[in-house]
Every structure is written in C-alpha cells, then in structure tokens.
Amino acid sequence: MSGFDGQVILVTGAAAGFGRDTAVAFAEAGAALVLADLNADGLAETAELVGGAETLPGDAADPAHHAALVARAVEAHGRLDIAVNNAGIVHPPLRLEAVPEDLARKVIEVDLLGELWALQAQVKLMQRQFKETGRGGAIVNVASVAGLIGSPTLSAYAAAKHGVVGLTRSAAIENARRGIRVNAVCPAFARTAMVEDTLSLAPDRDEAEALMVRGVPMRRRAERSEVVQASLWAASPENSFTTGQTIAIDGGTTAY
C-alpha cells in the first residue's frame, strides 16, 4: 500500500497485536508515528521495532489521555494525518445474566467511550487543519464482527463494538464535508494474544477454538496481517471516496 510517506499517524493499543503490527506496517511505508497504550513496556518495544516513535502510555478510557496524545502529535510533527483507534479489551465468555457490573462497565468505558474520546480529540484537530490548510485526515476504528452481528456469551463486548460502528457512521456523516474520512474494520476472531487469552480460559481449548470458527465459512481465524492490510486500505489517500463503512474481515461470517 503506497501513499504514507511522511504522513503522521497515531495508533492506540500499539503495544501488541493489531496495534503493533499496524504501527510496523505504517513505519515500513514511510510514516512518522505517535503511539499509545496502557502497557508502557510493550509500547517501548513497539517504538524500538519501528525505529523510533513518539509514545504516550495511558488509559484509553481517559478523555485527557486522547487530548494529550493529539497534542503530542502536533508538538512533534505539526499535524495529524491518520488515526487508528485500536485500543480495546474483551471479557471472558459469559452468559448475559452472568456479566458482573464492574466488568461490563470497564468494557464499555474502554471499548466504546474510549473510542468516543479519541474521535473527539482527533476530529477537532483535523477539522482545524482542514479549515486552515484544506487537508483534513482519515480515521480508522478497529471494531469487530461482534459489532455487526449478535455474539452469544460476549454481550457487553458486542454492545460496545456495535456502539463503535454507530460512532463511526455518525462521525463520517458529520465530517464528510470537513475533509475527514472515518471507517471501521470489523475482524472476526483473529490470532491475537487477546483471543488466545480468551481461549485459555476454556476447559478444553481445542474445543473452544472449534466452536469459535464453526460459524465462519472459511473455518479458520483471521491472520493479523489480513486485518492490518484492511486498516491500511481504509486509511489510504487512494481511497478518498470511502467513508462511513464497516469493513468485515470475517471469512464470510456476515454473508449469511
């Protein structure tokens, strides 16, 4: 994917998984990076992998963190071209009536409200940039196939990711004439540490993974690289007419 040379790109949840791989891919395409994650050690490792980046450890559920992150991009590079909002958590498989209040609140605060706070900070800057220079930006929200369909035993997570899809579409419409594109990538279960941790909680891991992919026509999990490439595609200036879309990387799951 071309078109990222010299662009300033912010990635949240960059300490591992999709976030780390996305940061590496953008760095290889010539971008300057601003990275965030709650895991300061993992964040530093990612910065080293990409050959250096601005980093800011912090809680994705904190509005002040996102404001500071955008300010860091401006301080270091003078602008922000692309943001990939990847930070998120998931809860263990539980029936809806068994989800504890504190766990449900935490998932909603990080996965949904965290996206709202991120969008607010990013959109304010990109709107100002567009007004001053005619150059806005692109935002990619990492949602989930659980934001497009029902997800038994992942109710709070699915509710949060449905909310991310709603935020994506609303922000895209509001900013379509302000030089800002907003899209979401919606992967099915992928080969990430978060999914592995979820599988490890099952009494029989192999049986749990078989159940996980039973509804996927391709009968496998997504590779991280497949999700990263979708994020780069959504962010690319080459796709300047694409906004408000939910891009499912799901092996055909939502085709039923």
Side-chain angles (χ1 to χ4, degrees):
M1 185 69 67
S2 61
F4 300 113
D5 188 45
Q7 293 206 19
V8 181
I9 299 178
L10 183 161
V11 182
T12 69
F18 294 146
R20 173 173 287 180
D21 291 355
T22 299
V24 169
F26 275 124
E28 290 175 347
L33 297 175
V34 181
L35 308 177
D37 201 288
L38 185 62
N39 179 350
D41 292 339
L43 190 61
E45 291 173 3
T46 301
E48 185 175 353
L49 277 175
V50 300
E54 294 292 320
T55 60
L56 185 64
D59 186 353
D62 181 4
H65 170 65
H66 294 289
L69 191 56
V70 168
R72 177 68 65 85
V74 174
E75 179 183 357
H77 302 290
R79 67 181 195 280
L80 176 63
D81 298 305
I82 294 168
V84 180
N85 296 317
N86 169 71
I89 60 174
V90 68
H91 60 79
L94 294 166
R95 291 184 64 86
L96 183 148
E97 65 273 17
V99 180
E101 179 182 346
D102 60 342
L103 182 57
R105 289 186 182 278
K106 184 63 175 176
V107 170
I108 297 297
E109 286 171 0
V110 173
D111 291 4
L112 177 54
L113 291 179
E115 291 278 355
L116 175 60
W117 311 140
L119 283 168
Q120 284 185 341
Q122 295 154 9
V123 162
K124 285 177 183 176
L125 172 61
M126 290 179 178
Q127 286 175 352
R128 186 166 72 248
Q129 289 176 170
F130 184 67
K131 186 175 182 179
E132 294 174 352
T133 69
R135 183 175 179 176
I139 299 171
V140 180
N141 296 322
V142 179
S144 169
V145 71
L148 302 175
I149 59 176
S151 297
T153 74
L154 290 175
S155 55
Y157 176 76
K161 292 302 186 179
H162 271 74
V164 171
V165 168
L167 283 173
T168 299
R169 290 171 172 163
S170 299
I173 294 168
E174 288 184 13
N175 291 283
R177 296 175 66 183
R178 295 174 173 174
I180 306 168
R181 298 187 302 109
V182 188
N183 292 289
V185 295
C186 300
F189 292 109
R191 296 188 184 280
T192 64
M194 188 165 70
V195 174
E196 290 297 332
D197 289 345
T198 301
L199 288 171
S200 70
L201 297 173
D204 186 323
R205 187 205 172 283
D206 291 341
E207 182 180 341
E209 181 166 14
L211 180 63
M212 183 179 284
V213 301
R214 186 174 299 169
V216 180
M218 287 188 177
R219 291 296 191 273
R220 68 172 176 87
R221 288 193 280 159
E223 300 295 337
R224 296 204 310 257
S225 60
E226 293 169 324
V227 180
V228 169
Q229 287 304 309
S231 294
L232 267 64
W233 182 90
S236 174
E238 296 171 1
N239 296 308
S240 58
F241 202 54
T242 302
T243 195
Q245 300 306 303
T246 53
I247 304 163
I249 308 99
D250 66 356
T253 302
T254 52
Y256 282 111

